[in-house]
Amino acid sequence: MSKSRNPVFASGNTAVITGGASGIGLALATKCAGYGMNVVIADNNSENLKGAKEMISKSGSGKVETAEMDVGKVEDFESLKAKITNDFGGKISLLVLNAGIGLKSDWSDSAYFHKIMDVNLFGVIHGLNTLLPLTTQSSTPSSIVITGSKQGITNPPGNPAYNASKAAVKTLAEHLSYDLSKSSPSTSVHLLVPGWTFTGLSGNKPFVGEGAEKKEKPKGAWSSEQVVEFLEVKMSEGKFYVICPDNDVSEETDKKRMLWTANDAVQGRPPLTRWREEYKEEAEQWMNNVKI
Ligand SMILES: NC(=O)c1ccc[n+]([C@@H]2O[C@H](COP(=O)([O-])OP(=O)(O)OC[C@H]3O[C@@H](n4cnc5c(N)ncnc54)[C@H](O)[C@@H]3O)[C@@H](O)[C@H]2O)c1
Ligand SMILES: *[C@@H]1O[C@H](CO)[C@@H](O)[C@H](O)[C@H]1NC(C)=O
Ligand SMILES: CC(=O)N[C@H]1CO[C@H](CO)[C@@H](O)[C@@H]1O
């Protein structure tokens, strides 16, 4: 069994991970189990939950439990809370609110906005409303990871509901970090911002049947395991913002993109200028020349 220098990833501790049956959540669950942690995987995909439980039980010595639930329903989180209280001593050392969907539609479709907000935003809010006391009650170190997106920071065109949900999640995580720094200083909060990652969202099914074709990871994308490695390093360094690069986009490029976006407001430009024809060239030149 491997050991981490981060006391949260310690044998016997319990991790609760929403969206843990695929992609980034599954990679993190596997890592936690490898450290001997108990892992509770919450997801609404029953087939993947079964596969995840089987696979993760092999990677560690801790307990592995699954909870089939919809993060959009607060009552499902109440049941999860009861399970953790009964089966895991009511203590969470690592709470990961990560479930997310990336559906697309247009301005006329109110149901699309509701669906994305229910999962990506309320999935985080409900998780905090119910499970925060189990995560902050003890004075031993604990961590909360919330999965955002670059789309909630630099706001590219194409999916307003998704971007808005991730911008809201970023704001919530920032407040949580500030509030807990006073009320529960042993709990750290981290905003995980994956870059382009090859996961279920991009057709990488975690448990394909034998003989079924497995999709190749595109060159530019990171694997979920790379994201989780990066997260672990940044958590150990005590960083709140965990902004992952990928094979196409460097950390420096992300910084320049964030600055350019903030400058839309500072300099009185219209929003989303990086993608507007009349600003595209200026944005590109600025990013080629600016020193950060
Ligand atoms: N893949 C990327 O490039 C990328 C980039 C930025 C952010 N993200 C974010 O990373 C997080 C993890 O996504 P992923 O890329 O690993 O995708 P994924 O599809 O592999 O994993 C997401 C998991 O969430 C679960 N889920 C969806 N709706 C749910 C619900 N209502 N209740 C319970 N579980 C539900 C899915 O079943 C799935 O197992 C998401 O929040 C996503 O927005 C991903
Ligand atoms: C999980 O919930 C999401 C969001 O409501 C939905 O799009 C998806 O189809 C659900 N998955 C399953 C397996 O029911
Ligand atoms: C998750 C999601 O919907 N991502 C999309 C957001 O918008 C960008 C830009 O249009 C698309 O490339 C992504 O696929």
Side-chain angles (χ1 to χ4, degrees):
M1 196 170 63
S2 45
K3 261 193 117 150
S4 167
R5 61 194 172 108
N6 183 338
V8 165
F9 292 98
S11 174
N13 282 355
T14 298
V16 177
I17 303 174
T18 70
S22 173
I24 296 164
L26 177 62
L28 185 52
T30 308
K31 174 176 274 298
C32 290
Y35 287 131
M37 295 178 79
N38 303 318
V39 184
V40 182
I41 308 165
D43 206 290
N44 72 337
N45 188 314
S46 54
E47 250 173 65
N48 287 347
L49 278 174
K50 224 175 107 212
K53 183 167 181 167
E54 232 166 73
M55 186 183 94
I56 293 171
S57 299
K58 286 184 203 138
S59 29
S61 52
K63 277 201 275 187
V64 182
E65 278 290 333
T66 58
E68 185 179 343
M69 60 177 272
D70 179 352
V71 295
K73 295 189 175 142
V74 72
E75 57 274 25
D76 285 10
F77 270 106
E78 295 290 357
S79 311
L80 177 62
K81 183 181 180 181
K83 189 193 197 70
I84 295 160
T85 304
N86 293 332
D87 301 351
F88 295 90
K91 188 176 156 210
I92 301 173
S93 294
L94 177 63
L95 175 62
V96 184
L97 299 170
N98 162 79
I101 54 171
L103 155 94
K104 266 187 184 176
S105 188
D106 61 38
W107 289 106
S108 68
D109 186 356
S110 175
Y112 140 74
F113 283 84
H114 272 289
K115 199 167 175 197
I116 289 203
M117 289 296 171
D118 275 349
V119 179
N120 294 10
L121 176 56
F122 279 95
V124 172
I125 294 175
H126 294 153
L128 294 173
N129 293 160
T130 52
L131 301 180
L132 197 53
L134 305 189
T135 315
T136 57
Q137 67 180 4
S138 150
S139 59
T140 54
S142 61
S143 295
I144 300 170
V145 173
I146 295 177
T147 308
S149 167
K150 291 178 190 177
Q151 287 170 229
I153 304 175
T154 58
N155 206 13
N159 197 340
Y162 182 85
N163 291 18
S165 75
K166 292 298 188 179
V169 155
K170 167 177 176 281
T171 298
L172 289 178
E174 288 169 341
H175 278 273
L176 186 68
S177 167
Y178 178 83
D179 288 351
L180 294 188
S181 70
K182 299 185 173 167
S183 63
S184 181
S186 60
T187 307
S188 65
V189 181
H190 310 271
L191 179 69
L192 172 61
V193 180
W196 181 21
T197 315
F198 185 49
T199 67
L201 281 185
S202 33
N204 181 21
K205 295 203 175 77
F207 307 103
V208 289
E210 237 165 275
E213 214 181 313
K214 190 89 181 144
K215 261 179 110 180
E216 279 275 326
K217 180 181 81 59
K219 274 207 173 68
W222 263 17
S223 67
S224 296
E225 288 73 22
Q226 284 176 291
V227 168
V228 164
E229 287 299 316
F230 191 84
L231 169 67
E232 191 187 10
V233 170
K234 294 292 172 184
M235 284 176 76
S236 296
E237 292 171 355
K239 300 286 191 207
F240 171 85
Y241 295 102
V242 182
I243 302 181
C244 304
D246 54 45
N247 294 337
D248 279 348
V249 179
S250 68
E251 290 186 79
E252 192 186 343
T253 297
D254 274 329
K255 287 179 188 172
K256 291 176 179 176
R257 288 177 175 177
M258 288 189 277
L259 272 179
W260 176 272
T261 298
N263 273 337
D264 281 346
V266 173
Q267 302 191 355
R269 296 188 300 237
L272 278 64
T273 50
R274 236 178 84 210
W275 298 273
R276 288 187 195 242
E277 280 311 324
E278 62 277 30
Y279 287 95
K280 259 187 183 162
E281 210 181 300
E282 188 187 332
E284 232 162 80
Q285 276 183 1
W286 182 87
M287 276 185 265
N288 286 337
N289 297 317
V290 71
K291 293 270 171 293
I292 45 164

